[in-house]
């Protein structure tokens, strides 16, 4: 069995991969490629341990939804700092004193520069 599935306690709302594809209007295969390329994080969750993405990664975009555009660069910075997927998720969804919010909430609020500064300050 996979560790303790900590990600399920970090994130309260998940969207399964096929639903992500439908909501952002791209093929399921493309969503999986984004996950594979670490441009999007996904974890196995729920009763069937199906691949899902945190709901917070999706935002309204005029006619529909899209992946939060600032997420990709932030994930790249975290990866460059040596963070794996779980560590990145933990950092994004844990209250950050420097930001006065979780990094994901700060990104959703448009505070990209502040979040990136906080990511650069990670001790690694």
């Amino acid at each position: 069995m996979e560790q303790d599935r900590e990600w399920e306690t970090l994130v309260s709302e998940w969207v399964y991969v096929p639903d992500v594809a439908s909501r952002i209007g791209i093929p399921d295969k493309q969503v999986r490629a984004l996950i594979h390329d670490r441009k999007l994080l996904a974890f196995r969750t729920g009763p069937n341990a199906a691949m899902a993405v945190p709901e917070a990664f999706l935002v309204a975009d005029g006619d529909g939804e899209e992946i939060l555009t600032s997420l990709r660069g932030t994930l790249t910075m975290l990866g460059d700092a040596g963070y794996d997927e779980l560590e990145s998720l933990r950092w994004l969804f844990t209250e950050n004193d420097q930001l006065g919010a979780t990094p994901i909430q700060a990104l959703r609020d448009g505070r990209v520069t502040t979040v990136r500064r906080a990511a650069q300050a990670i001790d690694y």
Side-chain angles (χ1 to χ4, degrees):
M1 176 133 196
E2 296 203 39
Q3 299 175 339
D4 60 6
R5 293 169 70 128
E6 174 187 345
W7 52 91
E8 291 182 337
T9 61
L10 289 168
V11 178
S12 59
E13 295 181 53
W14 295 90
V15 182
Y16 294 106
V17 168
D19 296 327
V20 172
S22 174
R23 286 170 60 175
I24 64 174
I26 64 173
D28 186 22
K29 186 176 180 177
Q30 239 180 307
V31 174
R32 292 183 188 282
L34 291 170
I35 294 164
H36 179 268
D37 295 341
R38 202 174 164 184
K39 295 175 181 167
L40 185 62
L41 296 178
F43 293 84
R44 294 198 173 278
T45 188
N48 297 326
M51 290 296 284
V53 170
E55 172 80 34
F57 290 175
L58 303 177
V59 293
D61 170 38
D63 300 336
E65 291 180 279
E66 67 179 1
I67 297 168
L68 181 66
T69 54
S70 56
L71 183 64
R72 181 182 296 190
T74 304
L75 290 174
T76 298
M77 288 185 77
L78 294 171
D80 289 349
Y83 277 40
D84 65 20
E85 285 85 354
L86 179 56
E87 291 166 330
S88 295
L89 188 79
R90 188 182 299 131
W91 187 82
L92 285 165
F93 284 88
T94 300
E95 188 78 19
N96 183 297
D97 292 337
Q98 185 178 346
L99 300 170
T102 63
I104 192 64
Q105 187 56 54
L107 286 173
R108 290 179 61 85
D109 292 344
R111 297 170 40 207
V112 179
T113 303
T114 309
V115 171
R116 301 269 171 89
R117 259 191 243 120
Q120 286 176 330
I122 293 172
D123 290 331
Y124 56 94

